[in-house]
Amino acid sequence: MVQIVKKSKGKMVGLFLLIVLLFVCMLSSLMFGITHYTLADIYSMVTSFNAQDLTHVIIWKERFPRMVIAVVTGASLAVAGLISQLLTRNPLGSPSVLGMNSGSIFFIVVFVVLFKVSDLNVIVYFAFLGALIATVLVYLLGSLSNSGTTSVQLILAGIAVNAMFVSFTQIILLMNQKGMNDVLFWMAGTISGRTLDMILAVFPFLFISLIAACFLGRSMNIYVSGESVAKGLGQNVMLTKLTLLILMVVLAGGSLAVIGNVAFVGLIIPHLAKSLIGNGYVWLTPYCILLGSIFLLVADISTRLIHPPAEIPLGVITAFIGAPFFIYVAFKGGRARG
């Protein structure tokens, strides 16, 4: 993989430029949509909010929550993807490929459609549970072979678990078609219509996990060198794997609980970050946080601008970009092994 920035000073400058770009994208998220607003409108809303002013209300009640949700969930999905690629030692690793998306959606569908759960704070925990069970199943299926767990087996197990949960979800919805509208947002993947309360329910979990991932950069650098080498350097490999697995489940499950089935963010962003700065996880984690936030902000803005006044589901945009990228990475990996 080509590494564009090699020196620490250059990586620091790159980090600063990404922060600036993130700020620009955040402003753009507040400005652009079916109705466009100016920087003066945003400044007026911040300095002298007027509940009777429709512009202020739309920016604060609709645009601001979308911006915050895109920033937080984009960063979380990107870091979850980085961790999944590290744990599986496979460039195709991501929460969606490992079945976490479909697992979360299945549990949301079960409890919303069958048990009529409507409390968003409760639904969040069901999404966590679905992501956790999907991950455990993938690791169990991936370790059934006599040769032990390999990256290819984990990916194949993830595809199988994903297909299983998708099938179960479709069966439930076919049997309870009236409940389709209640879960349509989560199945399509979208930020539209989400409120600050939804992200606040998971924000503490996501924030702590992102900070923890940043501090684990050196441990990830040791782990990526191989388990035998890591043990030789004194690392508790089982504790490291368990910690990273928990972080991945929390980051992916918490994000999916809010925005639904938005795939491929965790696949694309780690590769983009590695192409910029190489494989050092001390730098990769903060780069993934910023790039993931920028990517989902741009994708969300695109959903409003491509076919106004209608909005395209966010999951469609990320899949449109991610599916060809998945094929490219798979082809590149297969050619390299060949």
Side-chain angles (χ1 to χ4, degrees):
M1 179 176 291
V2 178
Q3 179 182 343
I4 297 175
V5 183
K6 297 182 179 181
K7 295 183 178 180
S8 295
K9 185 177 180 180
K11 294 175 183 177
M12 186 66 72
V13 172
L15 210 59
F16 173 76
L17 292 176
L18 285 178
I19 292 173
V20 173
L21 181 58
L22 175 60
F23 182 71
V24 171
C25 291
M26 290 168 68
L27 286 177
S28 300
S29 181
L30 296 176
M31 293 169 61
F32 300 118
I34 297 174
T35 303
H36 296 342
Y37 300 110
T38 64
L39 290 175
D41 293 326
I42 297 172
Y43 179 78
S44 173
M45 188 275 297
V46 172
T47 57
S48 55
F49 179 78
N50 182 2
Q52 305 303 317
D53 189 325
L54 184 59
T55 296
H56 290 188
V57 172
I58 291 176
I59 294 175
W60 175 247
K61 293 292 186 178
E62 181 182 341
R63 299 280 176 89
F64 182 74
R66 291 183 71 155
M67 182 265 289
V68 173
I69 291 171
V71 169
V72 176
T73 57
S76 300
L77 288 173
V79 175
L82 179 69
I83 294 174
S84 68
Q85 290 176 15
L86 171 64
L87 290 176
T88 61
R89 301 185 186 280
N90 193 306
L92 296 178
S94 71
S96 56
V97 175
L98 293 179
M100 297 177 71
N101 288 40
S102 56
S104 291
I105 297 301
F106 171 71
F107 272 74
I108 290 172
V109 168
V110 167
F111 286 96
V112 171
V113 175
L114 298 185
F115 295 97
K116 307 302 180 184
V117 177
S118 58
D119 189 338
L120 296 175
N121 292 329
V122 176
I123 292 173
V124 165
Y125 295 104
F126 294 141
F128 280 140
L129 180 62
L132 175 61
I133 290 177
T135 305
V136 171
L137 283 175
V138 168
Y139 272 86
L140 286 176
L141 291 174
S143 61
L144 291 179
S145 172
N146 293 330
S147 59
T149 304
T150 67
S151 61
V152 175
Q153 288 167 346
L154 285 176
I155 296 298
L156 292 176
I159 294 172
V161 169
N162 181 72
M164 179 186 71
F165 278 125
V166 168
S167 299
F168 289 164
T169 301
Q170 291 175 343
I171 290 172
I172 292 174
L173 292 176
L174 285 173
M175 296 173 62
N176 301 269
Q177 294 187 14
K178 291 182 179 179
M180 175 70 79
N181 291 333
D182 296 330
V183 295
L184 193 58
F185 278 125
W186 281 286
M187 292 186 66
T190 184
I191 298 178
S192 177
R194 299 307 197 245
T195 64
L196 278 179
D197 290 338
M198 295 185 70
I199 191 64
L200 289 176
V202 297
F203 181 76
F205 303 104
L206 300 182
F207 180 75
I208 292 172
S209 298
L210 288 172
I211 297 299
C214 289
F215 280 103
L216 286 172
R218 296 187 184 277
S219 296
M220 288 190 275
N221 281 339
I222 295 173
Y223 179 80
V224 77
S225 61
E227 292 190 12
S228 57
V229 175
K231 289 178 181 178
L233 294 174
Q235 184 179 77
N236 187 330
V237 174
M238 287 302 299
L239 179 60
T240 300
K241 289 175 67 174
L242 180 61
T243 302
L244 292 175
L245 187 63
I246 292 173
L247 291 180
M248 180 179 69
V249 169
V250 171
L251 290 170
S255 300
L256 297 170
V258 179
I259 63 175
N261 189 25
V262 175
F264 294 112
V265 179
L267 173 67
I268 297 171
I269 300 304
H271 285 281
L272 179 58
K274 290 174 184 178
S275 68
L276 291 174
I277 59 169
N279 293 315
Y281 284 85
V282 173
W283 289 100
L284 273 176
T285 305
Y287 264 77
C288 280
I289 289 173
L290 293 171
L291 288 170
S293 297
I294 292 168
F295 177 80
L296 214 59
L297 279 169
V298 173
D300 182 50
I301 295 170
S302 301
T303 63
R304 313 172 211 170
L305 300 181
I306 290 177
H307 187 56
E311 284 196 21
I312 299 174
L314 180 63
V316 173
I317 298 293
T318 58
F320 180 78
I321 300 172
F325 189 85
F326 180 91
I327 296 171
Y328 166 75
V329 174
F331 176 77
K332 183 179 177 182
R335 187 171 58 182
R337 285 190 295 271

